Amino acid sequence: MPRAGLTPGVVTAEAASLVDERGFDALSLAALAKRLGVATPSLYKHVDGWDGLVREVSLLSVSELAERLRSAAVGRSGAEGVRAVFDAYRRYALEHPGRYASIQRAPAASDTEAHTHYARPVEVIAAVLRGFSIPEGRMVHTIRALRSAVHGFVDLETRGGFGLPEDVDESFAVLVEGFVRALDGWSGRATGEEQRG
């Protein structure tokens, strides 16, 4: 029996659930239509084809991630903020692996709405990093380094890459603490270098 009351929001939410359950690569209009109990062509009333569906899932996901990070960051900055934000980042990725996978590619340069959404998690991370007095000219590089390290850890974790018995939470804490210490050093050296330049 076809599912009544379909809207773009319902279709996107169902697609997001599908990718979390079956993996991002499982997303297709046919699989989603079957899940919703409708014919595949009827989805075109709600999304702009497969590319449009992927875009909507990624916008939903990056908005959810930004909200998680924002909630974790409230009232925190510096080391405390970094710990809280990246714990929240990891938890989101583990709870929503398909959604997380959907946001790993930057949107098209012409898609200004998507860029606005994608900027929100970065803004939260930049806010907590300001507690380290990192010069604005180095902020993007610092965020890229942090994101790459945390993403690499989370990617290995979600793929079952940690087979040894040692506690994975403790390993993650080691990663984050290492960056906290490095950030203290980087911010001081960066400021000195800029003053000499």
Side-chain angles (χ1 to χ4, degrees), residues 96-167:
H96 300 290
R99 297 180 205 210
Y100 178 73
S102 78
I103 62 177
Q104 297 313 310
R105 178 171 294 185
S110 60
D111 192 342
T112 54
E113 180 189 8
H115 279 279
T116 298
H117 284 268
Y118 271 69
R120 290 173 184 154
V122 176
E123 290 163 1
V124 175
I125 296 168
V128 299
L129 289 177
R130 288 195 181 93
F132 290 96
S133 302
I134 296 167
E136 284 300 318
R138 292 179 180 265
M139 188 62 78
V140 169
H141 304 301
T142 304
I143 292 171
R144 283 177 177 166
L146 274 168
R147 181 181 169 215
S148 297
V150 174
H151 170 73
F153 188 100
V154 167
D155 189 56
L156 283 167
E157 185 175 13
T158 57
R159 292 172 187 266
F162 297 134
L164 297 176
E166 282 76 12
D167 184 65

Side-chain angles (χ1 to χ4, degrees), residues 57-123:
V57 170
S58 70
L59 294 187
L60 170 68
S61 303
V62 79
S63 296
E64 289 177 345
L65 177 62
E67 188 52 42
R68 286 280 191 98
L69 301 188
R70 187 176 295 110
S71 295
V74 170
R76 298 181 172 104
S77 65
E80 183 186 13
V82 168
R83 292 183 194 109
V85 163
F86 283 103
D87 280 345
Y89 184 102
R90 177 182 173 223
R91 281 195 308 274
Y92 184 82
L94 294 177
E95 291 169 15
H96 300 290
R99 297 180 205 210
Y100 178 73
S102 78
I103 62 177
Q104 297 313 310
R105 178 171 294 185
S110 60
D111 192 342
T112 54
E113 180 189 8
H115 279 279
T116 298
H117 284 268
Y118 271 69
R120 290 173 184 154
V122 176
E123 290 163 1

